[in-house]
Amino acid sequence: MSVGILRWFQVARVVVVVASLVVLRCDAECHYEGIFNFGDSNSDTGGFWSVFPEAPPPNGMTYFKRPAGRASDGRLIIDFIAERIRIPFVSPYMKSVGSDYKHGANFATLASTVLLPQTSLFVSGLSPFALPIQLNQMKYFKFQVDELYSQGSSNLPLPDIFGKSLYTFYIGQNDFTSDLDKSGIDGAKQKLPQVISQITSTIKELHGLGGRTFFVQNLAPIGCYPAFLVQLPHGDKDIDEFGCFISYNNAVVEYNNMLQDALSQTRQELPDSNVIYVDSHKALLELFQHPTSHGLKYGTIACCGNGGGSYNYNPRVFCGNTKFIDGQNLTASACEDPENYVSWDGVHITEAASKIVVDAILSGSDDFTDPPFEIGC
């Protein structure tokens, strides 16, 4: 276990001990009334599946006991953040029936990118709802709030929510990985400055709409994900002692360093705001490398998949699906104990992993956020 992670656990124990002594102070400091989220499948709570067919079982099996629009067995990082600030799970903007937007909106959709895709979903597999589109949806949402609240609409927030919310970002992974098998690492790196520029310009536009706290997660260590371990080209010397790709993870670190520098500059340009760089990469890498140190058992093996072996991932059969391939029916089914896995389906993480990541990034430790950040409730 790394020294930084160990220090976080020590801090967490102290927080638990003193929590009961500062209840009134914490209540006073829990001043975030909503979340506006921008992202891809890592934080999509049902946006994509409100437009296209619902994610099949066993998705949602742990917490919701049914598919709930999430590519996981249960809650995502965004759900645990909502719980921490004591608001309901954030409704997807694309969900027209049953949504309640009094505490913000989730603009994330599965397969979204930061940069606008150059082809359709049916050609590239990328969502049309890239970050610029999600930003436009946010602008229209604010317009509707300002316009309709005075008319007595019951499922919209107060117009002052925009200055009292967290603006969360978990997006960019698909920009990095969508053509990685064809263009290679060098090809992926060429567009990363554009990706970062789009994120920072979006933050500035949201600031113009009233946003003041921006919570930007970096990229995960994709070199440890079963799907990429199966599909990406590599040599034997490109695997580290934990079974992860060295070159791909190094490339992610380069991107994350550039993102951190860009957010630091943005912070200087918006002195009345909190622009937080969130190192979820560090927390996830620790889980993949040392799952047993955190109460888990399996790092680079997918819980919901097909094929068994080192990764239990078959790119021809996605979680919950059955296909007739090479003369036989193949089913990607779930394990019985997803609480023991980091990886849910080879591409996304389990509820158990999400909770551990949130406990880390919201601990107030400077190991995980720049500058140090704590919800305070």
Side-chain angles (χ1 to χ4, degrees), residues 23 49 70 73 158 168 171 183 188 210 263 287 303 327 337 353:
V23 171
W49 304 114
R70 292 155 172 82
D73 62 307
L158 290 168
T168 53
I171 192 168
S183 63
L263 293 178
L287 287 184
C303 166
D337 56 341

Side-chain angles (χ1 to χ4, degrees), residues 208-228:
L209 299 178
R212 290 298 180 268
T213 303
F214 305 96
F215 198 73
V216 186
Q217 291 181 246
N218 60 10
L219 290 191
I222 61 106
C224 297
Y225 280 52
F228 301 118

Side-chain angles (χ1 to χ4, degrees), residues 131-186:
L131 184 58
I133 305 301
Q134 294 181 23
L135 175 60
N136 285 339
Q137 291 173 328
M138 173 67 197
K139 291 178 179 177
Y140 186 68
F141 180 87
K142 185 178 188 301
F143 171 80
Q144 291 289 86
V145 169
D146 294 338
E147 183 82 9
L148 298 177
Y149 186 81
S150 61
Q151 300 177 21
S153 180
S154 61
N155 70 336
L156 293 176
L158 290 168
D160 66 356
I161 193 174
F162 300 104
K164 300 178 178 180
S165 296
L166 282 174
Y167 290 76
T168 53
F169 293 76
Y170 198 6
I171 192 168
Q173 183 168 308
N174 293 315
D175 296 88
F176 189 88
T177 63
S178 59
D179 292 322
L180 201 50
D181 57 337
K182 299 176 182 177
S183 63
I185 293 174
D186 290 338

Side-chain angles (χ1 to χ4, degrees), residues 55-355:
N59 288 287
M61 62 181 281
T62 297
Y63 181 81
F64 301 98
K65 309 303 180 184
R66 58 176 176 78
R70 292 155 172 82
S72 177
D73 62 307
R75 290 164 289 183
L76 309 178
I77 289 174
I78 187 68
D79 295 315
F80 284 110
I81 293 176
E83 289 183 349
R84 289 288 289 271
I85 66 171
R86 301 174 184 171
I87 65 170
F89 297 146
V90 186
S91 290
Y93 179 79
M94 301 296 294
K95 185 179 179 182
S96 58
V97 178
S99 290
D100 185 337
Y101 300 112
K102 289 194 290 291
H103 296 281
N106 188 357
F107 302 98
T109 61
L110 180 148
S112 286
T113 50
V114 172
L115 303 178
L116 287 167
Q118 300 302 306
T119 57
S120 75
L121 169 70
F122 304 102
V123 175
S124 66
L126 297 175
S127 169
F129 302 105
L131 184 58
I133 305 301
Q134 294 181 23
L135 175 60
N136 285 339
Q137 291 173 328
M138 173 67 197
K139 291 178 179 177
Y140 186 68
F141 180 87
K142 185 178 188 301
F143 171 80
Q144 291 289 86
V145 169
D146 294 338
E147 183 82 9
L148 298 177
Y149 186 81
S150 61
Q151 300 177 21
S153 180
S154 61
N155 70 336
L156 293 176
L158 290 168
D160 66 356
I161 193 174
F162 300 104
K164 300 178 178 180
S165 296
L166 282 174
Y167 290 76
T168 53
F169 293 76
Y170 198 6
I171 192 168
Q173 183 168 308
N174 293 315
D175 296 88
F176 189 88
T177 63
S178 59
D179 292 322
L180 201 50
D181 57 337
K182 299 176 182 177
S183 63
I185 293 174
D186 290 338
K189 285 182 179 180
Q190 290 179 7
K191 57 184 176 182
L192 295 184
Q194 295 175 269
V195 170
I196 293 171
S197 177
Q198 183 65 59
I199 291 174
T200 56
S201 66
T202 299
I203 289 173
K204 293 172 185 176
E205 290 207 48
L206 291 171
H207 177 269
L209 299 178
R212 290 298 180 268
T213 303
F214 305 96
F215 198 73
V216 186
Q217 291 181 246
N218 60 10
L219 290 191
I222 61 106
C224 297
Y225 280 52
F228 301 118
L229 286 166
V230 169
Q231 296 180 90
L232 292 179
H234 64 280
D236 293 339
K237 294 183 179 180
D238 197 24
I239 302 291
D240 66 18
E241 61 182 303
F242 305 105
C244 300
F245 286 145
I246 298 170
S247 59
Y248 295 104
N249 276 350
N250 285 345
V252 168
V253 169
E254 285 187 42
Y255 167 86
N256 288 342
N257 289 338
M258 287 192 293
L259 177 65
Q260 185 173 15
D261 290 342
L263 293 178
S264 177
Q265 178 62 40
T266 304
R267 191 178 307 121
Q268 295 177 31
E269 297 173 13
L270 304 175
D272 61 341
S273 300
N274 296 316
V275 180
I276 300 111
Y277 169 80
V278 184
D279 199 352
S280 51
H281 174 280
K282 180 181 290 185
L284 278 169
L285 186 63
E286 169 68 18
L287 287 184
F288 279 115
Q289 293 179 341
H290 307 286
T292 57
S293 297
H294 304 280
L296 308 180
K297 293 182 179 179
Y298 310 106
T300 56
I301 304 174
C303 166
C304 187
N306 173 267
S310 300
Y311 308 117
N312 191 37
Y313 180 82
N314 185 338
R316 297 187 293 177
V317 189
F318 296 120
C319 177
N321 291 316
T322 298
K323 284 189 177 181
F324 188 75
I325 300 174
D326 297 333
Q328 58 181 329
N329 281 320
L330 300 180
T331 299
S333 55
C335 62
E336 296 181 354
D337 56 341
E339 68 276 7
N340 288 319
Y341 287 73
V342 178
S343 175
W344 165 240
D345 58 3
V347 183
H348 308 96
I349 61 175
T350 60
E351 174 179 287
S354 290
K355 184 179 187 305

